[in-house]
Amino acid sequence: MRAAILPVTPLQQNCSLIWCTKTMKAALVDPGGDLDKLKAGVEKAGVTLEKILITHGHLDHCGQAGMLADELGLPIEGPHQDDLFWIEKLDGDGARYGMEAKSFTPTRWLEHGDTVTVGELTLDVIHCPGHTPGHVVFFHEPSRFAIVGDVLFQGSIGRTDFPMGNHQDLIDAITQRLWPLGDDVMFIPGHGPTSTFGQERKTNAFVSDYALS
């Protein structure tokens, strides 16, 4: 597996391009905007886009996913169906924030315990509600690598003051569903630099072992 981070939208959201080095088949995770930039990144990597993966229904993560899927004829997998209400209001949210966005219907909603494939890679789907009720994380166990969207950041966690957000659900998702994957797991967050679960367990002001003790 290889991965590249392509920040998009005024919110500098980390869209991830991941691909299977054996087949050179790829997926874009959370293509929220700046589609020309994303298509250029795909071309530069020399890979073939196979699908779009979505962690959650917020504007900066999936506002233009449907537009890209329509243009390139790609399936969209994710998020969990509990984020349907967010996806249904993308058009209005886009207008409100001055960003072009379009509602869409995923080809496949994802559940906790599902898997998604990219080329010959298989990633586990982990439902991690709290930031949004339908947020999912993608985990590639052989590479010890996760794409966590807005669940966890270097030094912080996702906001829970949005509609249907829940702080305790988020803490529980991180500690009960992410930490058991192992301290050595490197993750790409939805914004900002990468980190590891072990580093966050040591230093994160919200979910470190010390903070929660």
Side-chain angles (χ1 to χ4, degrees), residues 49-158:
L49 267 190
E50 175 175 66
K51 63 182 61 174
I52 293 168
L53 301 175
I54 303 296
T55 63
H56 66 292
H58 281 167
L59 172 68
D60 54 326
H61 288 258
C62 67
Q64 294 187 8
M67 296 157 61
L68 184 64
D70 289 346
E71 179 185 344
L72 301 181
L74 299 172
I76 299 176
E77 299 185 10
H80 184 285
Q81 194 159 3
D82 285 352
D83 268 14
L84 172 62
F85 77 101
W86 278 113
I87 293 172
E88 286 180 333
K89 62 196 199 75
L90 282 172
D91 303 73
D93 284 347
R96 192 172 300 115
Y97 289 96
M99 296 161 58
E100 187 179 6
K102 183 181 178 183
S103 182
F104 62 91
T105 301
T107 313
R108 175 190 176 203
W109 295 105
L110 298 175
E111 299 278 347
H112 182 68
D114 283 348
T115 59
V116 296
T117 59
V118 180
E120 295 183 8
L121 305 172
T122 299
L123 290 86
D124 297 315
V125 175
I126 303 166
H127 182 211
C128 291
H131 177 66
T132 69
H135 201 303
V136 296
V137 163
F138 299 106
F139 174 56
H140 187 242
E141 199 279 334
S143 299
R144 314 300 295 149
F145 167 77
I147 297 174
V148 304
D150 287 355
V151 170
L152 179 68
F153 305 105
Q154 184 188 86
S156 189
I157 59 174

Side-chain angles (χ1 to χ4, degrees), residues 5-82:
I5 299 173
L6 304 167
V8 296
T9 81
L11 298 173
Q12 290 294 285
Q13 189 273 123
N14 288 335
C15 175
S16 297
L17 174 65
I18 60 174
W19 67 93
C20 167
T21 54
K22 199 168 185 181
T23 63
M24 298 304 279
K25 296 287 181 67
L28 280 169
V29 186
D30 291 354
D34 298 333
L35 298 187
D36 288 343
K37 177 181 180 179
L38 295 182
K39 286 183 284 186
V42 170
E43 186 175 351
K44 181 180 178 182
V47 297
T48 301
L49 267 190
E50 175 175 66
K51 63 182 61 174
I52 293 168
L53 301 175
I54 303 296
T55 63
H56 66 292
H58 281 167
L59 172 68
D60 54 326
H61 288 258
C62 67
Q64 294 187 8
M67 296 157 61
L68 184 64
D70 289 346
E71 179 185 344
L72 301 181
L74 299 172
I76 299 176
E77 299 185 10
H80 184 285
Q81 194 159 3
D82 285 352

